[in-house]
Amino acid sequence: MDKIEHIGIAVKDIEKSNALFASLFGKPHYKMEEVASEGVKTSFFKTGPNKIELLEATKPDSPIAKFIEKKGEGIHHIAFAVEDIVSEIKRLKEEGFTVLNEIPKKGADNKLVAFLHPKTTNGVLIELCQEIDS
Ligand code: ZN
């Protein structure tokens, strides 16, 4: 596993949060993207070498809607860059982690992603992400 690729924050209203984080960081988000399969709208900010992803649910059964219902807005996941997501999934399964996506799926920002269940990672939802070569 490599560097932190981004931190995901669950928000109720992405337009409001775009304005909030733009004033926090002193610059606007640089892109928005909807991932229809996940029922989320995402917005990305850069702060120095770091990236922050805001996530808003686009449907009531979206994982983000469920998260906010249970825990409220806030940090939703930490994403780590990996070179080879398939071999990393295999390694983590062998280590006893519960991988939620045994087959990586297409996420936002041109990435292949997979999540680890927070019950096996001290309550932290971990995302693995591999850049898709294009
Ligand atoms: Zn993410």
Side-chain angles (χ1 to χ4, degrees), residues 10 12 60-73:
K12 283 183 186 163
D61 61 342
S62 152
I64 294 300
K66 289 179 190 158
F67 177 88
I68 289 176
E69 211 173 278
K70 261 201 235 165
K71 303 194 168 175
E73 294 179 297

Side-chain angles (χ1 to χ4, degrees), residues 6-8 44 53 55 77 79 115 127:
H6 63 269
I7 293 175
F44 289 91
E53 173 185 38
L55 304 119
H77 64 268
F115 288 89
E127 176 184 351

Side-chain angles (χ1 to χ4, degrees), residues 42-104:
T42 63
S43 173
F44 289 91
F45 288 85
K46 264 196 185 109
T47 55
N50 303 308
K51 208 196 276 179
I52 301 292
E53 173 185 38
L54 305 182
L55 304 119
E56 179 198 66
T58 55
K59 51 184 189 187
D61 61 342
S62 152
I64 294 300
K66 289 179 190 158
F67 177 88
I68 289 176
E69 211 173 278
K70 261 201 235 165
K71 303 194 168 175
E73 294 179 297
I75 293 180
H76 176 258
H77 64 268
I78 301 178
F80 292 89
V82 297
E83 292 262 310
D84 179 349
I85 196 165
V86 172
S87 72
E88 199 63 7
I89 286 171
K90 185 169 175 283
R91 181 183 75 79
L92 292 166
K93 277 177 66 182
E94 284 166 4
E95 293 286 347
F97 294 97
T98 302
V99 179
L100 292 170
N101 317 94
E102 305 225 348
I103 296 162

